[in-house]
């Protein structure tokens, strides 16, 4: 059900004291092979955390043997000292994995690093490095869910997923409850598979999967400095799925994790799917969906159970998508409250009492469509993001 | 102190029953000449309300004798009936002005129309037209502030401004408390002057003024369907200021009104100025300021009195402006909490207890700068925009 479901992986999660709560905050996922191929996508933010800059370099080497992750600090906007700290973390991880009970031939250049937490503060290395030592000792073949727990920040539940196939599987863990925005990898995600695939195949599968999953969720329009999705392949199953088969399985795991992320987004009371149909292009559909998902007036209306389709049309009007204002149709939970850009069915027919909301926007310009998933804007969101630094 | 401060104008505001509260909801501003020149800027939203489409046509005629405004309904997304209603409103206004105690030579093509309120519902014409008749009867040479009251929606105070010059003046009224966003005129604004100026001069002055005032405020990133700023010149003072003099006076009034709009933005507890300095271009400075102003995580942090500069840098990183992440400096209320992209002065030195917040972002790339004004994201914003339809 997690990153250790596929064969060839071990994982762990331990408490190193980075979090004031004393909860687990250091995770380790290692690939025992026989393959060590990998792919990754990173945040589109130009302000990248030190671990992102490091892991981008590691990925170029073509081999990732281990991923070390910490919550309790993002190590972003921390200057040269921050980068040195990430480097030290990778070196220390490699050293303890080489000297452990099951010695691995691993150098710092084979270790990806992920961090999450407050931006702008140096990590307490005196706690992190002993934490990595403990995490290495705690590695087990069923430790994936403990790794998932150790990367939680404002998440209320740990996030695991798996796609089972005949003879092979794909597993994943994720963290992320805010700062979810399009055009990025999204938060921290580690995905594993015991299929055998080269780096190019993994990269193609991962990019195809994230494009229609993590890139189509948007909790608050805010793009993080640390977002990373890493896919590791061990080849331990000896299975060699086609690119299409691998892409389907990775997409299944990414979709599952993405829905868990939106389902647990900070302060959300609604799980909203915005389907844009009848678009002239997929890019138009995605653009319209994102703009509506990102509109505070739409989000507060849905929090208030108000089927305010006028705010949806006003948001659509700020895009460059092909559409005519007097042709657009909008349905909320199946009720076509707007037809041809004007009021249609009675808005009082719309039942918004449940958590799930389905908005359909038909641009009536073409045959393309896309769905963006988002949340409402609630008092709890304001509270979570104003009451303490995160 | 208002649109009737310049000579040659009369105005009024009456209650026509469009608002459930019974508060004034129909306003009229008329130009008694001898000049009837005018300029206007409209929302950049592609979904434009019927009155915007109408007023754009009127403006092409080069003469505006009267502006009729209503709150209590936006007449947006109302199809062909909505446009017919706007046309009827202009025809009725012209008719009552022609037949009044001080008959004006005015046709419907000389009457601009502005509406504000809920999107997607037809206006109750049986109430609006008698309201226009009453407003015409109530016109006085000191009625500007009553017109300002009649266009309020969720505004808590009426907004008036004036710029006095030797022998001439510029006056203005505005409404708008939410859906304030860049790249548009902003909400409903009527500006008058008794200076003499042709349409081209008025247009140049108005565009120069709005570019650095209304276009640089952003309450919630949401662009309205109805925003209109109209400038009317009566020539009644016989003064003929230069373009530079006129621009300065119109800018003074627009700046005053824009600050009143941000000061009264829905649910705001902070009045935030984001100054972007050291930019390679003014466009870069504006882009960075807007993105930071529009970031929910920055806005909630400031609501919580948290000098969370990391969220500011993360927002800057999503722009295409010229900057290097390791060169940016950020000050909050005068404390340089970030230097060279990393922590500098102790964030605990930042005093955020007051309403006014000054954020300075130095990109250290050039000599250009711009300031964007915005608000925080508070519980009251969520409440105002979720508790009832608007």
């Amino acid at each position: 059900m997690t990153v250790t479901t596929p064969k060839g992986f071990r994982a762990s999660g331990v408490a190193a004291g980075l979090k004031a709560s004393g909860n687990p905050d250091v995770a380790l996922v290692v690939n025992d092979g026989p393959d060590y191929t990998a792919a990754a996508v990173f945040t589109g933010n130009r302000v990248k955390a030190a671990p992102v800059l490091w892991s981008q370099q590691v990925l170029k080497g073509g081999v990732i043997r281990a991923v070390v992750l910490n919550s309790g600090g993002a190590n972003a906007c921390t200057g040269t000292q921050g980068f040195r700290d990430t480097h030290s973390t990778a070196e220390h991880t490699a050293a303890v994995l080489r000297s452990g009970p099951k010695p691995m031939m691993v150098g710092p250049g084979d270790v990806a690093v992920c961090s999450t937490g407050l931006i702008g503060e140096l990590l307490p290395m005196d706690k992190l490095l002993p934490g990595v030592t403990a995490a290495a000792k705690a590695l087990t073949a069923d430790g994936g869910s403990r790794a998932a727990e150790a990367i939680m920040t404002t998440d209320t539940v740990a996030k695991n997923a798996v796609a089972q196939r005949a003879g092979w599987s794909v597993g994943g863990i994720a963290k992320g409850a805010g700062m979810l925005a399009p055009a990025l990898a999204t938060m921290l995600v580690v995905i594993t598979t015991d299929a055998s695939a080269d780096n190019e195949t993994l990269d193609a599968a991962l990019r195809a999967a994230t494009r229609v999953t993590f890139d189509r969720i948007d909790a608050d329009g805010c793009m993080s400095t640390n977002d990373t999705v890493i896919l590791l392949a061990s080849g331990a199953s000896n299975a060699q799925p086609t690119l299409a088969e691998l892409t389907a399985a990775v997409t299944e795991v990414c979709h599952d994790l993405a829905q868990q992320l939106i389902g647990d987004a900070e302060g959300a009371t609604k799980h909203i799917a915005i389907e844009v149909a009848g678009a002239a292009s997929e890019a138009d559909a995605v653009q319209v969906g994102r703009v509506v998902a990102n509109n505070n007036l739409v989000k507060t209306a849905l929090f208030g159970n108000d089927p305010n389709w006028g705010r949806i049309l006003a948001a659509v009007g700020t895009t460059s998508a092909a559409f005519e204002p007097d042709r657009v149709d909008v349905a909320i939970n199946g009720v076509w409250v707007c037809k041809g850009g004007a009021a249609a069915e009675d808005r009082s027919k719309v039942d918004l009492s449940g958590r799930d909301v389905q908005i359909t926007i038909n641009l009536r310009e073409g045959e393309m469509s896309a769905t963006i998933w988002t949340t409402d804007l609630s008092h709890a969101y304001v509270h979570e993001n104003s009451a303490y630094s995160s």
Side-chain angles (χ1 to χ4, degrees), chain A:
Chain A
M1 305 305 292
T2 176
V3 284
T4 44
T5 302
K7 291 186 283 289
F9 295 93
R10 288 174 296 148
S12 62
V14 299
L18 303 176
K19 285 180 182 166
S21 64
N23 287 335
D25 44 24
V26 173
L28 194 56
V29 178
V30 301
N31 182 354
D32 289 321
D35 296 346
Y36 309 109
T37 49
V41 285
F42 300 97
T43 181
N45 201 311
R46 292 168 62 200
V47 176
K48 295 186 203 305
V52 169
L53 296 170
W54 172 264
S55 297
Q56 286 180 321
Q57 290 302 316
V58 168
L59 189 72
K60 287 181 186 167
V63 167
I64 296 182
R65 294 291 307 264
V67 183
V68 59
L69 311 96
N70 74 273
S71 51
N75 197 6
C77 305
T78 44
T80 51
Q81 184 59 47
F83 194 80
R84 279 197 291 267
D85 288 345
T86 291
H87 191 176
S88 300
T89 304
E91 284 195 324
H92 184 78
T93 303
V96 295
L97 290 175
R98 279 196 305 270
S99 64
K102 184 174 179 178
M104 294 170 62
M105 286 293 292
V106 51
D110 309 325
V111 179
V113 182
C114 300
S115 300
T116 180
L118 185 63
I119 300 173
E121 301 200 345
L122 291 170
L123 290 172
M125 297 301 287
D126 57 327
K127 293 177 179 170
L128 176 57
L129 296 187
V132 172
T133 306
K137 285 183 184 159
L139 285 168
T140 63
D142 64 354
S145 61
R146 283 187 293 281
E149 285 166 23
I151 58 175
M152 291 167 65
T153 52
T154 56
D155 306 67
T156 65
V157 291
K159 296 163 183 82
N160 298 274
V162 72
Q164 288 283 4
R165 295 295 186 267
W168 60 284
S169 62
V170 175
I173 60 174
K175 87 110 224 168
M179 252 201 195
L180 305 177
L184 74 161
T186 202
M187 314 319 296
L188 304 187
V189 179
V190 180
I191 302 167
T192 55
T193 181
D194 48 14
S196 185
D198 60 24
N199 288 331
E200 291 67 32
T201 303
L202 292 176
D203 185 70
L206 183 62
R207 289 183 187 279
T210 57
R211 194 179 70 83
V212 295
T213 56
F214 296 123
D215 280 357
R216 294 203 179 161
I217 61 176
D218 186 342
D220 59 11
C222 299
M223 187 188 289
S224 153
T225 50
N226 288 60
D227 300 342
T228 303
V229 181
I230 296 180
L231 171 58
L232 309 172
S234 70
S237 72
N238 288 318
Q240 289 192 309
T242 65
L243 173 58
E245 290 167 342
L246 185 64
T247 297
V250 173
T251 302
E252 186 178 324
V253 167
C254 289
H255 179 77
D256 190 341
L257 293 172
Q259 293 300 315
Q260 291 183 52
L261 290 173
I262 279 291
D264 193 28
E266 287 170 351
T269 74
K270 301 288 185 191
H271 191 125
I272 303 162
I274 301 170
E275 179 193 7
V276 182
S281 68
E282 185 179 0
D284 274 7
V286 170
Q287 184 195 8
V288 168
R290 283 180 180 170
V291 164
V292 173
N294 198 13
N295 186 285
N296 279 353
L297 291 173
V298 172
K299 292 162 91 79
T300 47
L302 292 172
F303 170 61
N305 293 338
D306 175 12
N308 197 322
W309 60 268
R311 293 182 181 180
I312 295 171
L313 247 65
V316 175
T318 65
T319 71
S320 62
F323 82 98
E324 293 301 326
D326 60 356
R327 286 173 52 87
V328 178
D329 301 337
V330 177
I332 303 177
N333 281 351
V335 180
W336 289 95
V337 286
C338 170
K339 282 270 191 183
E345 286 191 74
D346 188 342
R347 54 201 279 158
S348 68
K349 288 184 186 168
V350 180
D351 179 4
L352 283 169
S353 58
R355 185 176 179 89
D356 288 326
V357 178
Q358 172 76 32
I359 294 173
T360 306
I361 301 166
N362 191 336
L363 299 177
R364 296 175 61 194
E365 287 284 338
E367 300 298 319
M368 303 306 291
S369 66
T371 298
I372 301 288
W373 291 273
T374 188
T375 59
D376 57 340
L377 175 54
S378 66
H379 286 298
Y381 176 87
V382 173
H383 177 75
E384 276 211 48
N385 288 295
S386 62
Y388 58 90
S389 259
S390 62

mmCIF file of all heavy atoms in Angstrom, chain A residues 50-82:
data_model
loop_
_atom_site.group_PDB
_atom_site.id
_atom_site.type_symbol
_atom_site.label_atom_id
_atom_site.label_comp_id
_atom_site.label_asym_id
_atom_site.label_seq_id
_atom_site.Cartn_x
_atom_site.Cartn_y
_atom_site.Cartn_z
ATOM 1 N N ALA A 50 17.429 24.684 -1.226
ATOM 2 C CA ALA A 50 18.719 24.005 -1.395
ATOM 3 C C ALA A 50 18.554 22.528 -1.758
ATOM 4 O O ALA A 50 19.236 22.038 -2.669
ATOM 5 C CB ALA A 50 19.557 24.166 -0.121
ATOM 6 N N PRO A 51 17.672 21.779 -1.101
ATOM 7 C CA PRO A 51 17.533 20.361 -1.465
ATOM 8 C C PRO A 51 17.051 20.147 -2.902
ATOM 9 O O PRO A 51 17.396 19.140 -3.520
ATOM 10 C CB PRO A 51 16.532 19.815 -0.441
ATOM 11 C CG PRO A 51 15.893 21.008 0.176
ATOM 12 C CD PRO A 51 16.903 22.103 0.106
ATOM 13 N N VAL A 52 16.273 21.088 -3.439
ATOM 14 C CA VAL A 52 15.843 20.964 -4.839
ATOM 15 C C VAL A 52 17.049 21.145 -5.762
ATOM 16 O O VAL A 52 17.252 20.369 -6.706
ATOM 17 C CB VAL A 52 14.729 21.988 -5.164
ATOM 18 C CG1 VAL A 52 14.474 22.054 -6.668
ATOM 19 C CG2 VAL A 52 13.452 21.629 -4.420
ATOM 20 N N LEU A 53 17.847 22.159 -5.485
ATOM 21 C CA LEU A 53 19.048 22.389 -6.300
ATOM 22 C C LEU A 53 19.971 21.167 -6.236
ATOM 23 O O LEU A 53 20.530 20.740 -7.246
ATOM 24 C CB LEU A 53 19.783 23.643 -5.811
ATOM 25 C CG LEU A 53 18.989 24.950 -5.959
ATOM 26 C CD1 LEU A 53 19.692 26.096 -5.240
ATOM 27 C CD2 LEU A 53 18.779 25.293 -7.431
ATOM 28 N N TRP A 54 20.118 20.602 -5.060
ATOM 29 C CA TRP A 54 20.946 19.407 -4.891
ATOM 30 C C TRP A 54 20.376 18.220 -5.670
ATOM 31 O O TRP A 54 21.076 17.551 -6.430
ATOM 32 C CB TRP A 54 21.057 19.055 -3.404
ATOM 33 C CG TRP A 54 21.728 17.735 -3.180
ATOM 34 C CD1 TRP A 54 21.133 16.531 -2.996
ATOM 35 C CD2 TRP A 54 23.134 17.483 -3.179
ATOM 36 N NE1 TRP A 54 22.063 15.532 -2.860
ATOM 37 C CE2 TRP A 54 23.314 16.096 -2.973
ATOM 38 C CE3 TRP A 54 24.273 18.290 -3.334
ATOM 39 C CZ2 TRP A 54 24.571 15.497 -2.908
ATOM 40 C CZ3 TRP A 54 25.528 17.692 -3.264
ATOM 41 C CH2 TRP A 54 25.671 16.321 -3.066
ATOM 42 N N SER A 55 19.091 17.952 -5.473
ATOM 43 C CA SER A 55 18.495 16.752 -6.072
ATOM 44 C C SER A 55 18.469 16.841 -7.588
ATOM 45 O O SER A 55 18.555 15.823 -8.290
ATOM 46 C CB SER A 55 17.082 16.528 -5.502
ATOM 47 O OG SER A 55 17.159 16.293 -4.101
ATOM 48 N N GLN A 56 18.347 18.067 -8.116
ATOM 49 C CA GLN A 56 18.433 18.228 -9.574
ATOM 50 C C GLN A 56 19.794 17.758 -10.084
ATOM 51 O O GLN A 56 19.889 17.136 -11.146
ATOM 52 C CB GLN A 56 18.200 19.692 -9.967
ATOM 53 C CG GLN A 56 16.730 20.114 -9.843
ATOM 54 C CD GLN A 56 16.501 21.566 -10.225
ATOM 55 O OE1 GLN A 56 17.310 22.434 -9.916
ATOM 56 N NE2 GLN A 56 15.375 21.844 -10.874
ATOM 57 N N GLN A 57 20.834 18.045 -9.341
ATOM 58 C CA GLN A 57 22.183 17.597 -9.724
ATOM 59 C C GLN A 57 22.295 16.082 -9.619
ATOM 60 O O GLN A 57 22.853 15.427 -10.499
ATOM 61 C CB GLN A 57 23.234 18.262 -8.822
ATOM 62 C CG GLN A 57 23.393 19.756 -9.061
ATOM 63 C CD GLN A 57 23.764 20.068 -10.504
ATOM 64 O OE1 GLN A 57 24.618 19.416 -11.086
ATOM 65 N NE2 GLN A 57 23.097 21.039 -11.092
ATOM 66 N N VAL A 58 21.775 15.533 -8.520
ATOM 67 C CA VAL A 58 21.836 14.081 -8.314
ATOM 68 C C VAL A 58 21.161 13.357 -9.472
ATOM 69 O O VAL A 58 21.671 12.367 -10.002
ATOM 70 C CB VAL A 58 21.173 13.711 -6.967
ATOM 71 C CG1 VAL A 58 20.956 12.195 -6.863
ATOM 72 C CG2 VAL A 58 22.018 14.222 -5.805
ATOM 73 N N LEU A 59 20.022 13.883 -9.893
ATOM 74 C CA LEU A 59 19.252 13.231 -10.945
ATOM 75 C C LEU A 59 20.057 13.146 -12.247
ATOM 76 O O LEU A 59 19.945 12.181 -13.007
ATOM 77 C CB LEU A 59 17.946 13.985 -11.174
ATOM 78 C CG LEU A 59 16.959 13.274 -12.095
ATOM 79 C CD1 LEU A 59 16.361 12.063 -11.392
ATOM 80 C CD2 LEU A 59 15.851 14.219 -12.542
ATOM 81 N N LYS A 60 20.869 14.181 -12.497
ATOM 82 C CA LYS A 60 21.673 14.179 -13.731
ATOM 83 C C LYS A 60 22.644 13.005 -13.761
ATOM 84 O O LYS A 60 23.044 12.547 -14.827
ATOM 85 C CB LYS A 60 22.436 15.502 -13.868
ATOM 86 C CG LYS A 60 21.527 16.657 -14.247
ATOM 87 C CD LYS A 60 22.296 17.962 -14.401
ATOM 88 C CE LYS A 60 21.342 19.124 -14.634
ATOM 89 N NZ LYS A 60 22.015 20.430 -14.475
ATOM 90 N N GLY A 61 23.041 12.526 -12.579
ATOM 91 C CA GLY A 61 23.931 11.375 -12.506
ATOM 92 C C GLY A 61 23.265 10.088 -12.958
ATOM 93 O O GLY A 61 23.943 9.107 -13.271
ATOM 94 N N GLY A 62 21.928 10.073 -12.981
ATOM 95 C CA GLY A 62 21.204 8.932 -13.530
ATOM 96 C C GLY A 62 20.957 7.809 -12.539
ATOM 97 O O GLY A 62 20.286 6.832 -12.861
ATOM 98 N N VAL A 63 21.476 7.928 -11.324
ATOM 99 C CA VAL A 63 21.293 6.887 -10.301
ATOM 100 C C VAL A 63 20.818 7.536 -9.009
ATOM 101 O O VAL A 63 21.413 8.529 -8.555
ATOM 102 C CB VAL A 63 22.626 6.139 -10.027
ATOM 103 C CG1 VAL A 63 22.526 5.295 -8.754
ATOM 104 C CG2 VAL A 63 22.997 5.270 -11.217
ATOM 105 N N ILE A 64 19.753 7.020 -8.432
ATOM 106 C CA ILE A 64 19.368 7.431 -7.086
ATOM 107 C C ILE A 64 19.222 6.170 -6.237
ATOM 108 O O ILE A 64 18.378 5.310 -6.514
ATOM 109 C CB ILE A 64 18.060 8.260 -7.085
ATOM 110 C CG1 ILE A 64 18.263 9.578 -7.846
ATOM 111 C CG2 ILE A 64 17.618 8.547 -5.644
ATOM 112 C CD1 ILE A 64 17.048 10.493 -7.861
ATOM 113 N N ARG A 65 20.061 6.043 -5.229
ATOM 114 C CA ARG A 65 20.030 4.882 -4.344
ATOM 115 C C ARG A 65 19.173 5.148 -3.108
ATOM 116 O O ARG A 65 18.677 4.207 -2.487
ATOM 117 C CB ARG A 65 21.463 4.530 -3.883
ATOM 118 C CG ARG A 65 22.396 4.047 -4.988
ATOM 119 C CD ARG A 65 21.987 2.682 -5.511
ATOM 120 N NE ARG A 65 21.833 1.704 -4.463
ATOM 121 C CZ ARG A 65 22.773 0.822 -4.085
ATOM 122 N NH1 ARG A 65 23.933 0.790 -4.705
ATOM 123 N NH2 ARG A 65 22.537 -0.048 -3.116
ATOM 124 N N ALA A 66 19.071 6.420 -2.738
ATOM 125 C CA ALA A 66 18.342 6.736 -1.509
ATOM 126 C C ALA A 66 17.725 8.124 -1.602
ATOM 127 O O ALA A 66 18.260 9.019 -2.271
ATOM 128 C CB ALA A 66 19.280 6.680 -0.307
ATOM 129 N N VAL A 67 16.582 8.295 -0.933
ATOM 130 C CA VAL A 67 15.976 9.611 -0.781
ATOM 131 C C VAL A 67 15.829 9.866 0.713
ATOM 132 O O VAL A 67 15.216 9.060 1.426
ATOM 133 C CB VAL A 67 14.580 9.685 -1.444
ATOM 134 C CG1 VAL A 67 14.015 11.094 -1.326
ATOM 135 C CG2 VAL A 67 14.653 9.252 -2.901
ATOM 136 N N VAL A 68 16.438 10.939 1.190
ATOM 137 C CA VAL A 68 16.307 11.301 2.599
ATOM 138 C C VAL A 68 15.421 12.544 2.663
ATOM 139 O O VAL A 68 15.617 13.489 1.896
ATOM 140 C CB VAL A 68 17.686 11.519 3.262
ATOM 141 C CG1 VAL A 68 18.500 12.620 2.581
ATOM 142 C CG2 VAL A 68 17.520 11.817 4.751
ATOM 143 N N LEU A 69 14.430 12.514 3.530
ATOM 144 C CA LEU A 69 13.441 13.600 3.591
ATOM 145 C C LEU A 69 13.300 14.072 5.034
ATOM 146 O O LEU A 69 13.339 13.254 5.970
ATOM 147 C CB LEU A 69 12.071 13.124 3.094
ATOM 148 C CG LEU A 69 12.007 12.372 1.760
ATOM 149 C CD1 LEU A 69 12.020 10.854 2.006
ATOM 150 C CD2 LEU A 69 10.766 12.755 0.954
ATOM 151 N N ASN A 70 13.125 15.385 5.191
ATOM 152 C CA ASN A 70 12.813 15.868 6.537
ATOM 153 C C ASN A 70 11.668 16.855 6.503
ATOM 154 O O ASN A 70 11.516 17.629 5.554
ATOM 155 C CB ASN A 70 14.034 16.544 7.189
ATOM 156 C CG ASN A 70 14.331 17.919 6.619
ATOM 157 O OD1 ASN A 70 15.040 18.025 5.615
ATOM 158 N ND2 ASN A 70 13.799 18.972 7.235
ATOM 159 N N SER A 71 10.827 16.803 7.495
ATOM 160 C CA SER A 71 9.877 17.882 7.763
ATOM 161 C C SER A 71 10.490 18.740 8.868
ATOM 162 O O SER A 71 11.599 18.475 9.318
ATOM 163 C CB SER A 71 8.523 17.299 8.161
ATOM 164 O OG SER A 71 8.659 16.355 9.196
ATOM 165 N N GLY A 72 9.798 19.810 9.259
ATOM 166 C CA GLY A 72 10.340 20.661 10.312
ATOM 167 C C GLY A 72 11.273 21.748 9.826
ATOM 168 O O GLY A 72 11.886 22.459 10.626
ATOM 169 N N GLY A 73 11.394 21.923 8.509
ATOM 170 C CA GLY A 73 12.253 22.982 7.986
ATOM 171 C C GLY A 73 12.459 22.795 6.501
ATOM 172 O O GLY A 73 12.785 21.692 6.047
ATOM 173 N N ALA A 74 12.237 23.854 5.699
ATOM 174 C CA ALA A 74 12.283 23.737 4.240
ATOM 175 C C ALA A 74 13.692 23.878 3.682
ATOM 176 O O ALA A 74 13.943 23.503 2.554
ATOM 177 C CB ALA A 74 11.383 24.794 3.597
ATOM 178 N N ASN A 75 14.592 24.466 4.474
ATOM 179 C CA ASN A 75 15.938 24.782 3.978
ATOM 180 C C ASN A 75 15.855 25.541 2.648
ATOM 181 O O ASN A 75 16.585 25.252 1.704
ATOM 182 C CB ASN A 75 16.793 23.523 3.851
ATOM 183 C CG ASN A 75 18.289 23.845 3.742
ATOM 184 O OD1 ASN A 75 18.679 25.008 3.871
ATOM 185 N ND2 ASN A 75 19.114 22.840 3.493
ATOM 186 N N ALA A 76 14.955 26.503 2.586
ATOM 187 C CA ALA A 76 14.801 27.376 1.413
ATOM 188 C C ALA A 76 15.159 28.791 1.826
ATOM 189 O O ALA A 76 14.893 29.189 2.968
ATOM 190 C CB ALA A 76 13.364 27.337 0.899
ATOM 191 N N CYS A 77 15.754 29.561 0.907
ATOM 192 C CA CYS A 77 16.191 30.923 1.221
ATOM 193 C C CYS A 77 17.149 30.904 2.400
ATOM 194 O O CYS A 77 17.019 31.670 3.357
ATOM 195 C CB CYS A 77 14.997 31.838 1.511
ATOM 196 S SG CYS A 77 13.782 31.859 0.212
ATOM 197 N N THR A 78 18.126 30.011 2.319
ATOM 198 C CA THR A 78 19.073 29.839 3.409
ATOM 199 C C THR A 78 20.514 30.035 2.940
ATOM 200 O O THR A 78 21.458 29.731 3.686
ATOM 201 C CB THR A 78 18.933 28.418 4.007
ATOM 202 O OG1 THR A 78 18.841 27.488 2.923
ATOM 203 C CG2 THR A 78 17.703 28.305 4.878
ATOM 204 N N GLY A 79 20.670 30.535 1.693
ATOM 205 C CA GLY A 79 21.999 30.910 1.226
ATOM 206 C C GLY A 79 22.962 29.739 1.082
ATOM 207 O O GLY A 79 22.555 28.582 0.968
ATOM 208 N N THR A 80 24.250 30.065 1.077
ATOM 209 C CA THR A 80 25.262 29.025 0.843
ATOM 210 C C THR A 80 25.316 28.036 2.002
ATOM 211 O O THR A 80 25.586 26.852 1.807
ATOM 212 C CB THR A 80 26.647 29.657 0.633
ATOM 213 O OG1 THR A 80 26.898 30.557 1.711
ATOM 214 C CG2 THR A 80 26.695 30.432 -0.673
ATOM 215 N N GLN A 81 25.057 28.508 3.220
ATOM 216 C CA GLN A 81 25.067 27.581 4.360
ATOM 217 C C GLN A 81 23.975 26.523 4.191
ATOM 218 O O GLN A 81 24.181 25.348 4.518
ATOM 219 C CB GLN A 81 24.879 28.333 5.685
ATOM 220 C CG GLN A 81 24.978 27.434 6.916
ATOM 221 C CD GLN A 81 26.332 26.729 7.000
ATOM 222 O OE1 GLN A 81 27.385 27.353 6.826
ATOM 223 N NE2 GLN A 81 26.320 25.411 7.218
ATOM 224 N N GLY A 82 22.830 26.940 3.661
ATOM 225 C CA GLY A 82 21.746 25.993 3.429
ATOM 226 C C GLY A 82 22.149 24.909 2.447
ATOM 227 O O GLY A 82 21.859 23.724 2.648
#
